[in-house]
Amino acid sequence: MPSPRPRLLPWPAENGKPCYLVSDDSGAGYIARLADEMETVQLRTGAELLAHARPLLRDRKAHTGELRFVGHRLAEALHDALRVAESRGMRLEDREEPAPERG
């Protein structure tokens, strides 16, 4: 049975637009597993970056180049985390059962 809606993947298409997976394997296929693994890496990388950024942001002697670099990386990590959240949220909505009709 095909999924009710396409899955947002954690990487963009070649043109930079969102990339989706349409599948009938309930998330068990190769691309779905690869996407799961990439989401895990993206979230772990974001957490590691945040752990590095906090002390740097507290350091009053940090150079603007360092701050700019970490700011760009944090923005990238936030973008990735938001994409993961959107994708997972869409999949959670698909699993929710419709509320019974009142009559």
Side-chain angles (χ1 to χ4, degrees):
M1 167 191 269
S3 174
R5 74 175 89 182
R7 175 184 176 169
L8 176 63
L9 294 172
W11 54 79
E14 288 183 21
N15 60 5
K17 293 184 179 180
C19 188
Y20 295 91
L21 172 65
V22 178
S23 176
D24 61 355
D25 59 21
S26 303
Y30 174 76
I31 299 297
R33 288 192 318 271
L34 182 65
D36 289 341
E37 290 172 15
M38 184 156 185
E39 287 178 352
T40 299
V41 169
Q42 288 173 322
L43 294 175
R44 184 178 338 117
T45 300
E48 290 169 0
L49 177 61
L50 186 57
H52 173 74
R54 282 187 168 136
L56 181 63
L57 293 170
R58 284 192 295 264
D59 182 358
R60 294 194 180 275
K61 295 180 182 178
H63 297 285
T64 56
E66 292 175 300
L67 295 170
R68 183 170 287 124
F69 179 81
V70 80
H72 284 287
R73 300 299 76 81
L74 286 169
E76 290 170 355
L78 177 59
H79 178 266
D80 290 344
L82 291 173
R83 183 188 299 253
V84 170
E86 180 181 0
S87 177
R88 291 182 180 183
M90 289 167 42
R91 286 180 278 153
L92 284 174
E93 289 172 6
D94 289 344
R95 291 186 201 153
E96 292 177 355
E97 294 183 24
E101 291 185 30
R102 294 182 182 183

